[in-house]
Structure formats: C-alpha cells, structure tokens
Amino acid sequence: MRKAWRAYTASFGDTLKFLLIEACLTMICLAPLLCLSSASLAPFAWASLLLWLFVMLPARMNAAEAMADSLAGGSLATVRLISGERYGRKLLCGLKRVCFLMLWGSPLIAFFLVGRSFYSGQVDTFTLLRMIKNDLGGGDQMRGIYVLLLAAAAALLLLIAGCAFHSGARHAWAQGNPALVRGHHGGVLRAWLISLVSVLPLLAAVLWVIFRYMPVLRDLTGLLMKTASLPETKETLLILAAGAVLTLPLLPLRSLIHAAYVDGLKR
C-alpha cells in the first residue's frame, strides 16, 4: 500500500494523464456499442468485442509496464501507454488470460444461458415460479428464490476469484518474468483483496442499491402481477453514478497495489 501510494501521489498530474489515456482507450473500444441504438446497425456492435481484444488487451500490458516504471521512480504517464512494441506477445499474453477467465466463468456462462432459455418464452412466468418453488425451495417460494440468487452469486464469485487469482500476471510479464507469481497466488489474492479499498465508494453504492431492491424480492409475485412498485430508477442510477465517479480517480491506485506486490517479489 505504501509503495503504491507513493507512486500514485508522486506526480498527481501524471496520474490524471494516465487515467485520461486509459479512459480514452476504453471509450474507443466501447464506441461501437452506440450501434445498438439502431436495429439496422446493431450487428456492428460486435466490433466492440474485437476492439477490446486487439486494442485493450495489449493496452493493459502497456499500462502494467508504465506502473513498473513508476514504482522504480519513473513516470506513470508515458508514451509506452500507446506503444505498439512487442504487440503480438502482449496480445497473446492477454488472450491467454482471457481463456483462463472463461474457464473460471464457465458456471456463470452456463447459468446465463439456462436463464436465457427460460426467459425467451419457452416457459411462462407462473410455471417458472412454480418450478422455483417446488424444485429449489421444497414448496417455499422465497426459499427457492434465495437458492437461485445464491447459485448466481456463487457463480459470480468464482469468476471474481479467477480475476483475483490472475491479477498479478500482467505485472509479472511487465517485470520481464511471467513466472514471477508462480507459487505466490495466495499473496496475489491478498493484494487483490487489499486493493478493494480503492473501490469502496462503488461497493457501497452497489450494496445500497441491493438493499433498496430487497423488499421487491420478498414480493416477487406482486412484482410480476404489477401490484408491487419498484424503487425510483432515477435515484438508483444516481446512486450508482455517484459511486462510480468517486471511484474513478482511485482506479490507478488499485492496479498499482497489484504492481507493487509483484515488484516486491522481484526484489
């Protein structure tokens, strides 16, 4: 934390430049999603996935190299953030991580595909509720809903655990030794958990929204019959937006904590 904080605050102007460059790269990759506003252009939104793979993955490797430089006393905002040097190797390393994360996320993908098959209209709402009540809740509808939510949360947590497990890989690559974190994944996981300090505003906003919707989950039948009212959507979006805005300047610190841990392994 101390090393990461020093690099984060050494030149706050460079930190903001780093954040701006990364934000621009992210928006470039997300720009094709604007095509979803038109049914005729919607297929072009898939270009966002290609841009994410071929632009953002190497850019994340570049960012890891910049962080390694900043921990050694260099600048966090350098031209290497948009460098095409060793592009193929960086892309390959990023794709390898994506493949690993898809394995970790396979239960969540399966959960989504099964849910989508039911939501597509093959099963009506009341039949679905009866299945949840009888098959998952043992005759208790709320218990069935809680079991379903816990299964979804477990699948999501498995993917998050995968992200934590592999969070040091790009920083080890930036240090010139991809095997640096081998045998130290417990430490990488601890560093990842510590780095959650930097996203506390967003986590607090998400928890607040969850608690706002808990009464609705207790009256799911009323929601489906449109006799129960949802919390104000505008307020929910404002809460999430406030959490995101407060978290945004702290995102470089979160990655610097991972980089500092791997830098410590090298030393």
Side-chain angles (χ1 to χ4, degrees):
M1 279 289 289
R2 192 161 51 244
K3 285 194 297 183
W5 183 254
R6 267 201 307 267
Y8 179 77
T9 57
S11 174
F12 199 63
D14 282 350
T15 301
L16 292 179
K17 290 175 188 176
F18 171 88
L19 187 62
L20 178 61
I21 292 169
E22 293 301 304
C24 287
L25 289 170
T26 302
M27 295 303 289
I28 288 169
C29 294
L30 296 179
L33 294 181
L34 294 171
C35 294
L36 292 174
S37 61
S38 169
S40 60
L41 296 175
F44 293 103
W46 286 103
S48 183
L49 177 60
L50 295 176
L51 285 173
W52 196 268
L53 292 175
F54 291 101
V55 174
M56 204 62 200
L57 291 183
R60 284 174 59 79
M61 305 300 292
N62 289 340
E65 290 182 337
M67 290 176 196
D69 288 346
S70 70
L71 290 168
S75 173
L76 192 58
T78 75
V79 72
R80 75 158 68 233
L81 291 174
I82 54 171
S83 170
E85 184 181 359
R86 295 184 295 171
Y87 174 84
R89 291 180 61 190
K90 291 173 182 177
L91 178 61
L92 186 61
C93 184
L95 289 173
K96 185 178 178 182
R97 298 278 83 74
V98 169
C99 291
F100 285 145
L101 289 178
M102 286 186 69
L103 291 175
W104 284 86
S106 54
L108 186 63
I109 295 171
F111 190 90
F112 172 78
L113 291 176
V114 171
R116 189 176 184 278
S117 68
F118 283 114
Y119 186 74
S120 62
Q122 296 180 17
V123 179
D124 64 82
T125 302
F126 293 103
T127 302
L128 181 59
L129 285 174
R130 189 167 61 251
M131 291 169 62
I132 292 173
K133 177 181 178 180
N134 296 332
D135 298 342
L136 298 178
D140 187 329
Q141 181 172 298
M142 285 311 303
R143 184 188 301 169
I145 292 170
Y146 287 140
V147 168
L148 189 66
L149 290 175
L150 284 173
L156 178 60
L157 285 174
L158 187 62
L159 176 59
I160 292 172
C163 292
F165 189 81
H166 294 287
S167 62
R170 66 187 177 115
H171 299 290
W173 193 92
Q175 293 285 359
N177 183 3
L180 201 58
V181 293
R182 193 172 297 163
H184 296 281
H185 286 290
V188 170
L189 180 59
R190 285 195 301 273
W192 186 88
L193 290 172
I194 290 170
S195 73
L196 292 180
V197 170
S198 60
V199 294
L200 280 179
L202 182 59
L203 291 176
V206 171
L207 287 174
W208 190 356
V209 168
I210 290 173
F211 282 120
R212 278 169 58 86
Y213 281 87
M214 284 301 291
V216 177
L217 292 176
R218 296 193 185 98
D219 188 21
L220 191 60
T221 303
L223 178 64
L224 295 171
M225 296 296 295
K226 298 183 179 180
T227 58
S229 58
L230 286 169
E232 182 64 39
T233 303
K234 184 178 179 180
E235 290 181 10
T236 299
L237 293 175
L238 286 173
I239 292 168
L240 292 174
V245 168
L246 291 173
T247 301
L248 192 60
L250 297 172
L251 290 180
L253 176 62
R254 181 172 179 272
S255 294
L256 279 167
I257 292 171
H258 305 157
Y261 175 76
V262 176
D263 182 68
L265 290 179
K266 181 182 179 181
R267 295 178 187 280

